[in-house]
C-alpha cells in the first residue's frame, strides 16, 4: 500500500509515483502487488506491411503513367483501360479473393461478376466481336453455379450462408436470356444451357429448402 | 412491432442499437466494460466452459452482425466463442473478424473477469445480468456452494420472450415526439493518446460515506457527482478563460437513465435514455452551490415520464421515417455517419453513467471482491465516467483519451477534501504514451 500526501489517496501499485499528480508516493506498507491492469504490449495491430505498400505504389504510378501515355497517343482508342482494368482486378483478387475472411460463396460471387465486367470491357475495346457475352459470361456463371452447389453439397454445415449467393448468381444467370431478346447475344447455346442450369438449381432450392429461402429473404429485406 | 418467435435465430437491431454500427470506428468505439473481481485467480478453462454454458442460455448474445438490404441484423453465430487475456486496451474497438464474429469479449486478468460489450447489442443493465450469470456458472463449476436466489438467471431457466423485445418501440407515443433542437456542447481538449491507448483511473470510496455526503447536500449520489463534475470542469477548464470563444458553449453532461426502473420491461437489449445537464459557464465566479441548484432542477425536469417518453419517441419516430427506411443500407450508413458526426456527437461534453448498486446472492458474496465499470473515451468526448457500487465499495472510474488528467485529480481531491477516504487504481497510461 502506498500513499500520496498531496492528493490524500492510497494506492496499491509497484509504480512509485501518483497517477493523479505524478508526485513520489509514500510507502506505508512494503509489499509486492499484482498490478490491477496489464502493461502495454506494443501495437497489437500490425502496420500495413511493406509489400502491400510497394504494390500499391507501383499500381498507382503505373495507372497514372498509362493514362498520360494514352492521352498523348490519341484518345480515340482507350487502350489503357485494359492494363488499368487488369491492375484493379489484381487488387480485387488479392483483397476479396485471397485475404478477406468472407465465406467462399461470397468470394466466388464477387470475383465472377467483376471478371465478367472486365472481360466485356476488353472485348468492347478490342475488336468487339461479342465473344465475351456470347461465350465467356455464360460459361463463367455456369461454373460459378456448379462450384457453389458442390460446396453446399459437401460442406453442409453452413449452407444457410451460401444459399443467398447461390440464389443471387442464379438470378444473374437469367440476364443473358434478356440480352438474347435485345439481340446483344447472337450465339444461343451457351446462354440457353446456362438458363436451363439456373432454373434447375432454382427449382431444386425451392422444393428442398423452402424455409431457408424464406428466412433469408425476410432477414435481408426487413425494413 | 410483429411478435418474434423465441427459437428464431436472428434478431432485428433495436432502436438505439441501429445507430452504433454506422458510427463506430477505432476511436469512437462505443464499447463499455464491466468487471467482476474475484478473491482468487481466475481459472481459464473453467471460465471458457462457463461462457459456453451461458451462451446457450442467452441466444441473444450468440450472434454476429450482418448487413441486410435495408437494415443490419443479428444473425445466429455458429462459431465458438473464445475468452481472451486482457491486454492494455480499455474498451477498444471490437473487430468482429478477430473475434469469430462476436460483438463482445470476455476477458480475464488475474482475479478479474470482464465483459467488453459493443453498445449495439445491449446496455449496462443487460450486460450486468449476463456477467452475473457468467460469474455464477463459473463459481458453480469451481465447486462453490452458490445458489441463484431469484437474482440470477441460470442455465436451467428458459429464455423469455421479453428479454429480446425492443422496449423503446413498445413505449413509443406518436403524439409526444417533438424534436427539440440542441446546441453544441463545450468540449474538453487535450493531447490525444493513440487510438489503442486509454487512460484509466478509478477511485474506490466507501459507499456509506458517499451516500452520507450526498444526503448532506440533499441530493442523490448521481446528482451530487454530476454537480461535482460540472464544477471541476468549470474550475480546471473554463474559469478566468470564459471569454474565449470555445469556452462559450454550454457544458453538458450526459447521464444515462436505466428505463427498466421507470417502465416495466425485462429486456436485455438497449433500454436507456438520458438526462442532460446544461450550463453556460460565462462568469468568473460561479459557485458550487449555484451548480448544485441547477443540476437538481435539470434532473427533476429530465426524469419526468412525459419527457422520457418524448425523447424515446423522438428516436423511434426518426427510425420509422419512411424515407430513411426505404434507403438501402449502404447509403443509410453514410447518412447516419455524416449526421452523427455533424450533430449527435457534439451535443455532449462527457458522459457520466451510474450503473448503480450490484446485487449478488448472499451465497456468492464471499467470493466476490468488487465490481468495476468503464466506458470508452473518444475523440470528441475525451473523458468518460462510470460509477458502480457493490456492498461497501463505491467505484468511480474515469477513462480518458487525452494525456492530461487534471479533471480526475481535482475531482478526487474535491472528494477527499470532503473527508472521504479514496483508494486509487490506475492503468498508468503515462508509462507508455
Amino acid at each position: 500500500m502506498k500513499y500520496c500526501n498531496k492528493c490524500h489517496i492510497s494506492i496499491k501499485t509497484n509504480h512509485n509515483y501518483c497517477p493523479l499528480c505524478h508526485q513520489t508516493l509514500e510507502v506505508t506498507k512494503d509489499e509486492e502487488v499484482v498490478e490491477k491492469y496489464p502493461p502495454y504490449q506494443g501495437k497489437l495491430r500490425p502496420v500495413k506491411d511493406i509489400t502491400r505498400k510497394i504494390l500499391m505504389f507501383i499500381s498507382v504510378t503505373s495507372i497514372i503513367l498509362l493514362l498520360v501515355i494514352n492521352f498523348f497517343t490519341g484518345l480515340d482508342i482507350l487502350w489503357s483501360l485494359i492494363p488499368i482494368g487488369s491492375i484493379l482486378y489484381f487488387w480485387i483478387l488479392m483483397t476479396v479473393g485471397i485475404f478477406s475472411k468472407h465465406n467462399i460463396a461470397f468470394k466466388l460471387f464477387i470475383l465472377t461478376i467483376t471478371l465478367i465486367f472486365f472481360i466485356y470491357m476488353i472485348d468492347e475495346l478490342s475488336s468487339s466481336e461479342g465473344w465475351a457475352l456470347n461465350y465467356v459470361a455464360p460459361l463463367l456463371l455456369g461454373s460459378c453455379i456448379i462450384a457453389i452447389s458442390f460446396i453446399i453439397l459437401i460442406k453442409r454445415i453452413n449452407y444457410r450462408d451460401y444459399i443467398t449467393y447461390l440464389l443471387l448468381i442464379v438470378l444473374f444467370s437469367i440476364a443473358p436470356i434478356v440480352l438474347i431478346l435485345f439481340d446483344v447475344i447472337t450465339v444461343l447455346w451457351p446462354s440457353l444451357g446456362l438458363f436451363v442450369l439456373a432454373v434447375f438449381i432454382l427449382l431444386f432450392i425451392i422444393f428442398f429448402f423452402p424455409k431457408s429461402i424464406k428466412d433469408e429473404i425476410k432477414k435481408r429485406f426487413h425494413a | 412491432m410483429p411478435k418474434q418467435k423465441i427459437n428464431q435465430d436472428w434478431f432485428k437491431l433495436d432502436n438505439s442499437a441501429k445507430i452504433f454500427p454506422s458510427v463506430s470506428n477505432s476511436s469512437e468505439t462505443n464499447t463499455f466494460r464491466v468487471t467482476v473481481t474475484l478473491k482468487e485467480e481466475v481459472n481459464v478453462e473453467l471460465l471458457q466452459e462457463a461462457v459456453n454454458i451461458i451462451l446457450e442460455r442467452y441466444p441473444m448474445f450468440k450472434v454476429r452482425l450482418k448487413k441486410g438490404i435495408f437494415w443490419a441484423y443479428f444473425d445466429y453465430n455458429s462459431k465458438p466463442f473464445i475468452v481472451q487475456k486482457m491486454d492494455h486496451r480499455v474498451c477498444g474497438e471490437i473487430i468482429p473478424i478477430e473475434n469469430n464474429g462476436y460483438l463482445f469479449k470476455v476477458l480475464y486478468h488475474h482475479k478479474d473477469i470482464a465483459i467488453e460489450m459493443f453498445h449495439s447489442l445491449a446496455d449496462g443493465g443487460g450486460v450486468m445480468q449476463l456477467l452475473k450469470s457468467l460469474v455464477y456458472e463459473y463459481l458453480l463449476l469451481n465447486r462453490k456452494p452458490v445458489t441463484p436466489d431469484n437474482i440470477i438467471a441460470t442455465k436451467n431457466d428458459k429464455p423469455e420472450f421479453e428479454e429480446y423485445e425492443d422496449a423503446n418501440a413498445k413505449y413509443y407515443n406518436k403524439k409526444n415526439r417533438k424534436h427539440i433542437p440542441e446546441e453544441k456542447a463545450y468540449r474538453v481538449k487535450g493531447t490525444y493518446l493513440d487510438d489503442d491507448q486509454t487512460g484509466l483511473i478509478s477511485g474506490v470510496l466507501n459507499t456509506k460515506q458517499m451516500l452520507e455526503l450526498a444526503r448532506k447536500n440533499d441530493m442523490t449520489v448521481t446528482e451530487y457527482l454530476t454537480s461535482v463534475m460540472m464544477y471541476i470542469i468549470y474550475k480546471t477548464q473554463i474559469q478566468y478563460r470564459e471569454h474565449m470563444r470555445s469556452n462559450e458553449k454550454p457544458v453538458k453532461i450526459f447521464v444515462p437513465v436505466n428505463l427498466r426502473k421507470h417502465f416495466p420491461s425485462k429486456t436485455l437489449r438497449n433500454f436507456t435514455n438520458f438526462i442532460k445537464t446544461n450550463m453556460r459557464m460565462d462568469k468568473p465566479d460561479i459557485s458550487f452551490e449555484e451548480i448544485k441548484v441547477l443540476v437538481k432542477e435539470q434532473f427533476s425536469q429530465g426524469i419526468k415520464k412525459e419527457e422520457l417518453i418524448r425523447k424515446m419517441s423522438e428516436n423511434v419516430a426518426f427510425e420509422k421515417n419512411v424515407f430513411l427506411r426505404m434507403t438501402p443500407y449502404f447509403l443509410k450508413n453514410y447518412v447516419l455517419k455524416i449526421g452523427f458526426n455533424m450533430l449527435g456527437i457534439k451535443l455532449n461534453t462527457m458522459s457520466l453513467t451510474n450503473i448503480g448498486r450490484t446485487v449478488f446472492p448472499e451465497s456468492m458474496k464471499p467470493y466476490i471482491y468488487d465490481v468495476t465499470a468503464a466506458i470508452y473515451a473518444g475523440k470528441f468526448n475525451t473523458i468518460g465516467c462510470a460509477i458502480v457500487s457493490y456492498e461497501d465499495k463505491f467505484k468511480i472510474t474515469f477513462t480518458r483519451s487525452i494525456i492530461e488528467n487534471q479533471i480526475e485529480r481535482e475531482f478526487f481531491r474535491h472528494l477527499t477534501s470532503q473527508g472521504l477516504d479514496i483508494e486509487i487504481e490506475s492503468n498508468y497510461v503515462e508509462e507508455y504514451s
Side-chain angles (χ1 to χ4, degrees):
Chain A
M1 193 64 100
K2 288 173 181 173
Y3 184 78
C4 172
N5 56 19
K6 204 167 169 190
C7 305
H8 304 294
I9 52 104
S10 50
I11 181 166
K12 274 188 201 130
T13 180
N14 296 325
H15 296 278
N16 47 22
Y17 61 92
C18 169
L20 295 175
C21 65
H22 295 183
Q23 202 189 248
T24 318
L25 288 166
E26 227 172 76
V27 181
T28 50
K29 201 172 132 206
D30 207 357
E31 59 186 348
E32 190 71 13
V33 291
V34 178
E35 288 294 329
K36 172 84 180 160
Y37 293 95
Y40 186 57
Q41 280 137 8
K43 279 257 174 268
L44 289 173
R45 257 186 284 156
V47 277
K48 271 185 193 166
D49 71 277
I50 191 82
T51 343
R52 196 190 152 91
K53 274 184 192 163
I54 293 172
L55 284 177
M56 194 54 122
F57 176 74
I58 294 174
S59 308
V60 173
T61 42
S62 25
I63 287 175
I64 293 168
L65 205 65
L66 283 165
L67 284 173
V68 171
I69 295 172
N70 197 170
F71 181 77
F72 284 111
T73 52
L75 279 174
D76 31 317
I77 307 168
L78 290 168
W79 55 267
S80 65
L81 287 182
I82 294 175
I84 289 175
S86 318
I87 294 172
L88 294 180
Y89 192 72
F90 167 78
W91 280 101
I92 293 173
L93 188 68
M94 280 301 172
T95 49
V96 180
I98 296 174
F99 289 110
S100 93
K101 290 196 175 166
H102 281 102
N103 69 49
I104 185 118
F106 171 82
K107 289 180 179 180
L108 280 175
F109 173 74
I110 296 287
L111 289 178
T112 311
I113 300 299
T114 44
L115 188 59
I116 287 171
F117 277 106
F118 176 52
I119 300 268
Y120 175 66
M121 190 186 76
I122 293 178
D123 188 15
E124 284 299 300
L125 287 174
S126 52
S127 47
S128 60
E129 288 164 324
W131 49 267
L133 289 182
N134 276 336
Y135 299 101
V136 182
L139 292 179
L140 267 177
L141 286 167
S143 30
C144 185
I145 290 180
I146 291 170
I148 297 181
S149 313
F150 264 101
I151 292 167
I152 292 176
L153 277 179
I154 294 163
K155 272 178 90 172
R156 288 180 158 253
I157 314 162
N158 279 333
Y159 78 88
R160 283 174 352 128
D161 296 340
Y162 298 169
I163 218 150
T164 325
Y165 300 108
L166 185 60
L167 218 57
L168 273 174
I169 202 98
V170 162
L171 290 179
F172 265 87
S173 303
I174 297 169
I177 293 294
V178 183
L179 294 179
I180 288 178
L181 296 178
F182 287 100
D183 277 339
V184 182
I185 288 176
T186 44
V187 184
L188 296 183
W189 66 265
S191 306
L192 286 178
L194 176 68
F195 182 68
V196 172
L197 179 67
V199 169
F200 170 74
I201 295 281
L202 191 63
L203 289 177
F204 190 85
I205 299 174
I206 290 173
F207 277 104
F208 293 98
F209 303 99
K211 200 168 175 301
S212 322
I213 302 195
K214 225 175 118 189
D215 278 358
E216 280 298 321
I217 290 175
K218 225 194 243 169
K219 266 196 268 194
R220 293 195 183 253
F221 283 84
H222 79 270
Chain B
M1 201 189 133
K3 280 246 169 196
Q4 293 186 326
K5 266 185 279 171
I6 207 153
N7 57 353
Q8 78 170 48
D9 55 3
W10 70 279
F11 307 97
K12 288 181 187 178
L13 272 68
D14 62 72
N15 173 263
S16 11
K18 277 178 171 151
I19 184 93
F20 293 120
S22 308
V23 300
S24 301
N25 52 39
S26 62
S27 55
E28 301 293 329
T29 62
N30 289 306
T31 45
F32 60 97
R33 174 194 279 189
V34 189
T35 314
V36 165
T37 309
L38 302 177
K39 287 189 179 159
E40 22 186 284
E41 295 275 312
V42 174
N43 180 329
V44 186
E45 282 95 49
L46 290 185
L47 181 64
Q48 177 68 56
E49 210 175 310
V51 173
N52 296 347
I53 291 171
I54 218 64
L55 274 181
E56 295 304 315
R57 166 63 183 77
Y58 291 102
M60 214 206 100
F61 293 105
K62 199 175 165 50
V63 290
R64 59 192 162 155
L65 188 71
K66 293 194 93 180
K67 297 181 187 91
I69 305 296
F70 298 111
W71 288 110
Y73 59 92
F74 295 129
D75 199 4
Y76 176 77
N77 192 345
S78 55
K79 290 189 181 157
F81 184 92
I82 294 159
V83 299
Q84 297 170 33
K85 197 165 167 33
M86 191 186 284
D87 55 48
H88 66 272
R89 289 175 292 184
V90 181
C91 302
E93 189 185 15
I94 290 183
I95 301 162
I97 224 143
E98 292 176 358
N99 220 10
N100 272 351
Y102 288 96
L103 299 170
F104 70 103
K105 291 179 183 171
V106 173
L107 306 167
Y108 62 91
H109 176 69
H110 292 289
K111 298 174 182 170
D112 294 353
I113 298 176
I115 295 186
E116 253 179 30
M117 177 70 71
F118 183 45
H119 214 320
S120 218
L121 206 49
D123 58 15
V127 172
M128 215 55 193
Q129 196 183 328
L130 179 72
L131 185 61
K132 279 181 189 172
S133 297
L134 175 64
V135 172
Y136 172 79
E137 293 297 341
Y138 172 78
L139 290 173
L140 209 60
L141 286 172
N142 221 336
R143 298 173 197 286
K144 298 284 194 289
V146 287
T147 47
D149 298 358
N150 290 332
I151 295 172
I152 283 167
T154 66
K155 60 172 182 285
N156 302 323
D157 303 346
K158 191 104 182 84
E160 278 179 85
F161 166 69
E162 277 194 318
E163 291 177 4
Y164 311 140
E165 72 182 358
D166 180 359
N168 286 301
K170 193 168 151 190
Y171 292 101
Y172 168 64
N173 183 353
K174 219 174 176 175
K175 296 195 184 82
N176 184 8
R177 59 166 193 201
K178 207 168 142 258
H179 172 69
I180 298 176
E182 271 192 80
E183 227 180 321
K184 282 180 191 164
Y186 170 76
R187 163 172 176 235
V188 179
K189 286 174 226 60
T191 320
Y192 288 128
L193 293 162
D194 282 355
D195 275 357
D196 66 339
Q197 301 175 357
T198 303
L200 184 150
I201 296 178
S202 352
V204 187
L205 287 71
N206 183 296
T207 310
K208 223 183 209 166
Q209 283 184 347
M210 187 64 235
L211 285 172
E212 259 166 32
L213 178 61
R215 208 166 293 145
K216 212 168 71 192
N217 285 280
D218 198 20
M219 294 173 112
T220 66
V221 174
T222 318
E223 284 170 356
Y224 180 71
L225 292 175
T226 311
S227 323
V228 176
M229 204 65 234
M230 298 275 280
Y231 184 57
I232 297 300
I233 290 178
Y234 172 65
K235 282 283 251 197
T236 57
Q237 313 284 325
I238 301 178
Q239 198 175 23
Y240 309 127
R241 283 171 280 171
E242 62 279 338
H243 56 277
M244 280 164 71
R245 253 195 102 198
S246 59
N247 292 352
E248 277 171 6
K249 291 186 193 131
V251 173
K252 292 183 179 186
I253 297 190
F254 179 93
V255 184
V257 180
N258 184 354
L259 291 180
R260 293 173 191 84
K261 289 185 181 150
H262 299 270
F263 299 93
S265 174
K266 279 205 223 160
T267 186
L268 293 174
R269 307 169 79 181
N270 281 304
F271 193 39
T272 43
N273 215 306
F274 61 87
I275 298 174
K276 216 179 267 186
T277 63
N278 180 346
M279 186 178 190
R280 195 179 291 283
M281 304 200 159
D282 50 3
K283 289 182 288 181
D285 56 346
I286 298 176
S287 71
F288 187 35
E289 299 306 315
E290 213 172 312
I291 292 176
K292 280 198 290 198
V293 173
L294 190 87
V295 167
K296 211 167 152 54
E297 162 69 19
Q298 285 172 346
F299 263 71
S300 63
Q301 287 297 324
I303 205 80
K304 280 182 187 152
K305 278 265 181 317
E306 309 90 80
E307 179 65 8
L308 289 175
I309 292 181
R310 183 194 68 75
K311 282 184 273 199
M312 201 150 57
S313 307
E314 189 185 327
N315 292 337
V316 179
F318 177 68
E319 175 202 327
K320 281 181 187 277
N321 181 311
V322 183
F323 293 106
L324 187 74
R325 275 167 70 179
M326 286 305 145
T327 320
Y329 183 68
F330 71 96
L331 283 178
K332 214 173 316 202
N333 228 337
Y334 287 110
V335 173
L336 292 178
K337 200 173 290 189
I338 294 166
F340 190 72
N341 285 339
M342 272 167 52
L343 302 165
I345 197 169
K346 298 192 175 155
L347 300 179
N348 315 318
T349 305
M350 68 172 288
S351 317
L352 182 143
T353 168
N354 188 352
I355 293 180
R357 201 159 65 92
T358 7
V359 187
F360 280 103
E362 215 47 62
S363 60
M364 284 173 79
K365 282 179 186 168
Y367 308 107
I368 292 165
Y369 182 74
D370 75 349
V371 181
T372 318
I375 55 175
Y376 87 99
K379 284 270 185 277
F380 192 88
N381 298 325
T382 49
I383 184 162
C385 177
I387 301 163
V388 68
S389 75
Y390 165 69
E391 296 286 279
D392 62 341
K393 292 195 176 63
F394 188 93
K395 204 160 192 174
I396 305 172
T397 305
F398 285 97
T399 38
R400 65 182 199 275
S401 60
I402 51 175
I403 294 171
E404 291 83 352
N405 66 358
Q406 299 115 314
I407 293 185
E408 287 94 325
R409 188 176 69 216
E410 294 307 321
F411 186 90
F412 288 126
R413 280 186 182 174
H414 179 92
L415 292 181
T416 45
S417 74
Q418 303 292 313
L420 269 62
D421 301 322
I422 301 181
E423 192 190 324
I424 296 285
E425 287 167 357
S426 170
N427 71 345
Y428 276 93
V429 77
E430 44 277 86
E431 283 287 299
Y432 49 84
S433 60

